[in-house]
Amino acid sequence: MTVKKLGLRQRYEHMTRGLDWETTYQKMDDVFPYDSFEGIKIKDWSAWEDPFRLTMDTYWKFQAEKERKLYAVLDAFAQNNGQTNLSDGRYVNVVKLFLTGISPEEYQAHRGFAFTGRHLRGAGARVAAQMQSLDELRHLQTQVHTISHYNKFFDGISEFPHMHDRVWYLSVPKSFFDDARSAGPFEFMIAIGFAFEYLLTNLLFVPFMSGAAYNGDMSTVTFGFSAQSDESRHMTLGIEVIKFLLEQHPDNLPIVQKWVDKWFWRGHRLLGLVAMMMDYMLPKKVMSWKEAWDIYFVEAGGSLFQDLERYGLKMPKYADIATEEAEHISHQNWAVFYQYTHAAAFHTWMPDKEHLDWLSAKYPNTFDKYYRPRWELWAEMEKEGKRFYNMALPQLCQTCQIPMAYTEPGNPAAICFRATQFQGETYHFCSDGCKDIFDGEPEKYVQAWMPVQQIFQGNCGGATVPDVLAWYNMNAGADNMDYTGSPDEKIWKEWHPDADVARKAV
Amino acid sequence: MAQVASITLLQNDDARPIIEAILADNPGVRVLNMHGAVKLDCDHSITIRRASVEERLGRAWEPQEIQLVLVSMAGNLDEDDDHFTLSWRH
Ligand SMILES: [Fe+2]
Ligand SMILES: [Fe+2]
Ligand SMILES: [Zn+2]
C-alpha cells in the first residue's frame, strides 16, 4: 500500500488539534485564569480557524528562508556603503524614529502575544499567538541589525532602548502598547491583532517601506517587507479573532465594539507619527498620508466593515473625524517637532520650495490655507537668525500623551481641548476620542506616566532642558536640533561635496 | 461601494510567475505598481491557482510558498492545496 501525502487541511488538523487536554490535577479555570474576567463568552474553541493552516515545521522552514534573503541584502548594503547612496542625508531621520519609536513596540508585541499564547484556552488560537510572538521578536532583531549599520555614521540611534522608556514623544507608542499589554488577553487580541495589525499597519509597512526603497534604503525596505510577510498572517489572525468572538456569543458584540472604537482611535493617534514621516521626512515622496489613508483605511477598512456588518459590528466611532484629520495630522505633528527640536533625537527642517509645492498639490483643501504661511514665516525667521523654539513644556493629552496641538473637527483654526473631572482632579484630552477612552476606564489612565508632569515633579534629572536631555542620554548638539548644521549633515556633505548645488537645482 | 479584495506582493523574480498567474486568472484586476511591491485589486474576490503558477514557474509549487513574497492582503482568506483565495462574502 502506498502512503498518500496528507493534504494541507489534514496536516493542519493533525499538528494543531487533539494535542491539548482537559486538566484534572488542577481546575481548567486555575490553569487559564485570565480568559473570563473581560466578560467574553466562548462556547466552542474548536470552531477556531487558521486559514493559513500553518504548522510549526512549515513555519520554521519559511522563516529561515526569509532570514537568509534578508541578511544577504544587509551584507550587500554594508559592502556597498549603501548609506552613501541614499536620496539625501535627511532621510536617515525616518530610520531613527523607526528604531526608537517602532522597534521597541515589536518587542512589546512579542511579549503580549507570548502572554496570549499562554492564556487562551483554545489550542488553535494558542499556536497562532505563539507564532506571532516569535515573528515579533524576529522583527525587533532584524530591525536592530539593519539599523546598527546606520549607527556607525549617524547620530540619535545608539541609545534607543534607554530613550524609549524616557523621552517624551516615545511615551506615545510606549503607552499604547503598555495599555494593550495590561488589558486582558481578548482585548489585547482586538487591540493589536485586529485594530493595529488589520486596520492600520498597512499604512506603516506598505507605502512607507515603498518610500524607503525609493529613497535608496534597500536594507530598510527589505526588513520592512520581510516583516510584512509575517504581518499578512497577523492580519488574518486579527480578522479571525474578531469573527470568532462575534460568532461565539451575542453578548460579545458590545464588548468588542467598545474595544474596536477605542483601539481604532488610539491607533489613529499613534500613526500620526508615520503621517509625518511620509509627508515631511522622506526626501523623495511616494504618496501623501492622505492618499495612503484613502487606500488603506477608507477603501480597505470600508470593505472589511461592510463584511462585519452581518454580526452587527459598526465602523469605529469617530472614523469620520479621523478621515477629516488625515488632511491635517502630518502638518500639525511636524509643527510640534519643529518647535521642540531641541528635545528630539532626530533632526528637523522647514520644507524647501519644491517640497512646499508638493504639499500644496497633495493637500489642496488645507495646506495653503492653514500651514504654508506658517512654514514660510518660520523659514523667514530662520534666515533672520531668529529660529523659533518653543521653550514651554506642552500640556499633554492624558490618553494618547501627545501635546495638545490638534484642532477642532470642522475648525482647523482652534485647538481642540476637552477635560474630565475624576476624584477631584482635572484631566485633559486632545479629542473626544481620547476623552471617551479615559471616561471608559479612568482608574487605568490616571496611573499613566506623563512625561511633562514627571519633569515638573522632578523625576527626570532636573528642571532645565540640559538636565532632562542628559537624563534621556541625548547627546545635545548632535542627536537633536535642525539637520542644517548637524554632524549628520557634515558627513553627508563629505560624501557628496556638491549635494547643496544638486538640491537647489531640482 | 464594491468591496475590494486585494493582495500585495514583492516586485521580484520569485513573485513574477504568481503576479502573471493572477493577471491571467482574474479578469478586471487592477494593478498599482509601487517601489519594491505591487498591489493587485479585484472587486469581491481575487484568486491564485496552483496550476497557473506551476505552468509559469515550470516546477511544483505549493500555495503556502506565497508567504515568501507576500506583503499584504485584504479579504477573507481561503487557502487549500490548489488555491489561495481572498474574498468578501457580503
Ligand atoms: Fe511586527
Ligand atoms: Fe505584527
Ligand atoms: Zn489624545
Side-chain angles (χ1 to χ4, degrees):
Chain A
M1 193 183 88
T2 51
V3 183
K4 199 166 168 288
K5 199 173 162 235
L6 292 177
L8 185 58
R9 256 170 229 273
Q10 295 151 300
R11 209 166 62 223
Y12 176 75
E13 288 286 312
H14 282 298
M15 300 289 272
T16 54
R17 300 300 157 90
L19 296 177
D20 57 336
W21 63 92
E22 285 278 322
T23 58
T24 50
Y25 293 173
Q26 299 288 334
K27 289 201 285 298
M28 283 291 272
D29 287 342
D30 293 338
V31 177
F32 297 101
Y34 299 118
D35 72 351
S36 53
F37 76 88
E38 297 171 279
I40 291 291
K41 294 177 183 155
I42 307 292
K43 289 181 298 195
D44 177 18
W45 270 109
S46 73
W48 178 275
E49 274 278 345
D50 172 11
F52 270 109
R53 302 199 174 87
L54 192 61
T55 54
M56 263 301 168
D57 55 334
T58 319
Y59 175 76
W60 292 126
K61 193 175 85 189
F62 286 152
Q63 297 306 90
E65 183 66 26
K66 289 182 195 173
E67 294 280 275
R68 268 195 295 275
K69 290 184 169 163
L70 170 63
Y71 280 91
V73 174
L74 297 192
D75 278 351
F77 189 80
Q79 283 167 357
N80 279 310
N81 284 313
Q83 75 283 355
T84 65
N85 297 325
L86 299 169
S87 56
D88 185 59
R90 287 170 181 78
Y91 168 80
V92 181
N93 293 291
V94 298
V95 176
K96 299 176 191 181
L97 193 50
F98 198 101
L99 183 72
T100 52
I102 297 167
S103 303
E105 312 320 331
E106 302 276 15
Y107 186 70
Q108 293 236 59
H110 154 68
R111 297 286 304 272
F113 279 101
F115 178 84
T116 48
R118 161 64 183 83
H119 286 291
L120 294 177
R121 215 168 281 218
R126 282 212 304 279
V127 169
Q130 282 165 12
M131 284 177 189
Q132 180 157 354
S133 174
L134 292 170
D135 291 336
E136 304 297 2
L137 187 59
R138 170 177 111 83
H139 298 171
L140 169 77
Q141 289 174 337
T142 53
Q143 288 161 23
V144 173
H145 279 152
T146 304
I147 297 173
S148 69
H149 180 71
Y150 284 103
N151 183 47
K152 296 173 188 161
F153 309 98
F154 298 99
D155 295 307
I157 294 169
S158 59
E159 293 291 333
F160 78 93
H162 182 89
M163 285 185 179
H164 176 254
D165 290 345
R166 297 188 178 203
V167 175
W168 57 281
Y169 56 91
L170 299 176
S171 77
V172 174
K174 181 180 192 296
S175 64
F176 176 97
F177 272 86
D178 285 347
D179 187 356
R181 282 185 53 210
S182 55
F186 289 113
E187 182 178 347
F188 179 84
M189 292 289 276
I190 298 295
I192 306 303
F194 179 73
F196 195 67
E197 302 270 16
Y198 200 94
L199 282 181
L200 302 165
T201 52
N202 270 321
L203 284 156
L204 169 61
F205 276 97
V206 187
F208 172 71
M209 286 301 168
S210 175
Y214 192 35
N215 282 275
D217 186 359
M218 284 319 296
S219 58
T220 294
V221 64
T222 308
F223 86 61
F225 283 161
S226 185
Q228 191 61 26
S229 66
D230 301 339
E231 290 319 320
S232 302
R233 203 158 12 80
H234 304 172
M235 291 164 69
T236 306
L237 179 58
I239 202 171
E240 281 315 311
V241 79
I242 205 151
K243 287 193 291 191
F244 178 73
L245 296 186
L246 296 171
E247 275 165 12
Q248 283 292 312
H249 202 286
D251 289 357
N252 294 342
L253 176 63
I255 304 173
V256 169
Q257 181 75 55
K258 191 178 165 199
W259 290 338
V260 167
D261 294 347
K262 167 181 170 180
W263 287 101
F264 165 75
W265 188 258
R266 292 222 62 178
H268 160 61
R269 275 287 176 258
L270 178 57
L271 285 189
L273 286 174
V274 185
M276 175 182 95
M277 286 157 86
M278 283 185 53
D279 283 347
Y280 284 89
M281 299 173 75
L282 288 178
K284 286 164 80 175
K285 316 281 184 291
V286 281
M287 63 172 82
S288 69
W289 177 252
K290 165 73 178 152
E291 289 167 327
W293 184 263
D294 285 346
I295 294 174
Y296 289 105
F297 182 72
V298 178
E299 183 183 291
S303 298
L304 172 67
F305 278 96
Q306 240 176 291
D307 210 52
L308 293 172
E309 247 168 29
R310 72 194 131 118
Y311 301 111
L313 196 76
K314 292 198 284 287
M315 274 296 266
K317 199 175 174 189
Y318 304 126
D320 52 334
I321 307 258
T323 294
E324 181 186 325
E325 286 188 355
E327 294 192 73
H328 296 278
I329 200 157
S330 67
H331 317 301
Q332 296 182 354
N333 281 343
W334 190 241
V336 168
F337 281 100
Y338 180 83
Q339 293 173 62
Y340 289 100
T341 189
H342 46 289
F346 60 89
H347 300 307
T348 52
W349 53 87
M350 272 295 109
D352 63 11
K353 165 104 181 23
E354 184 198 7
H355 187 169
L356 289 172
D357 290 346
W358 181 85
L359 290 164
S360 292
K362 291 295 180 186
Y363 292 94
N365 302 325
T366 56
F367 189 67
D368 285 352
K369 193 160 175 207
Y370 301 106
Y371 305 104
R372 188 165 184 150
R374 199 191 313 171
W375 290 183
E376 286 170 344
L377 175 68
W378 279 347
E380 200 50 45
M381 288 168 73
E382 268 180 43
K383 260 197 232 143
E384 291 165 10
K386 291 187 238 159
R387 203 267 190 215
F388 175 63
Y389 300 97
N390 192 332
M391 298 312 286
L393 298 189
Q395 184 174 51
L396 303 179
C397 169
Q398 185 74 23
T399 302
C400 69
Q401 307 206 358
I402 298 174
M404 304 269 288
Y406 298 127
T407 51
E408 277 294 345
N411 181 10
I415 295 290
C416 184
F417 183 95
R418 302 288 182 270
T420 281
Q421 300 283 325
F422 182 72
Q423 293 176 342
E425 297 272 350
T426 305
Y427 296 90
H428 305 282
F429 307 97
C430 70
S431 54
D432 292 317
C434 281
K435 179 179 182 296
D436 283 5
I437 293 169
F438 178 96
D439 288 342
E441 289 167 287
E443 301 84 353
K444 185 171 194 178
Y445 294 100
V446 296
Q447 299 175 59
W449 191 91
M450 305 299 294
V452 167
Q453 282 87 327
Q454 291 295 321
I455 292 171
F456 281 132
Q457 286 171 33
N459 296 329
C460 303
T464 68
V465 171
D467 290 338
V468 174
L469 296 189
W471 186 77
Y472 287 169
N473 284 4
M474 203 179 286
N475 183 9
D479 293 349
N480 60 351
M481 307 295 273
D482 278 333
Y483 176 74
T484 304
S486 68
D488 277 13
E489 185 196 40
K490 188 164 169 285
I491 195 171
W492 182 257
K493 283 188 166 168
E494 282 166 19
W495 297 336
H496 301 277
D498 46 354
D500 255 8
V501 188
R503 198 169 134 80
K504 287 211 183 85
V506 282
Chain B
M1 188 174 78
Q3 287 170 291
V4 180
S6 175
I7 188 160
T8 305
L9 300 171
L10 293 178
Q11 288 268 23
N12 66 15
D13 277 350
D14 289 343
R16 206 147 292 131
I18 307 174
I19 296 167
E20 284 169 10
I22 294 172
L23 294 176
D25 292 340
N26 297 271
V29 66
R30 298 180 293 278
V31 181
L32 175 65
N33 278 298
M34 290 184 260
H35 299 273
V38 57
K39 186 175 191 289
L40 301 152
D41 294 339
C42 216
D43 289 348
H44 312 299
S45 129
I46 191 164
T47 193
I48 298 162
R49 289 174 50 238
R50 176 189 190 132
S52 298
V53 177
E54 289 185 340
E55 215 171 275
R56 287 165 176 82
L57 199 59
R59 68 160 171 87
W61 181 82
E62 285 178 29
Q64 281 200 321
E65 290 180 53
I66 201 169
Q67 295 194 36
L68 295 170
V69 295
L70 190 55
V71 174
S72 184
M73 54 193 222
N76 294 294
L77 171 62
D78 175 42
E79 182 182 358
D80 213 328
D81 293 300
D82 59 359
H83 70 269
F84 183 103
T85 301
L86 292 156
S87 65
W88 298 110
R89 273 170 238 167
H90 294 265

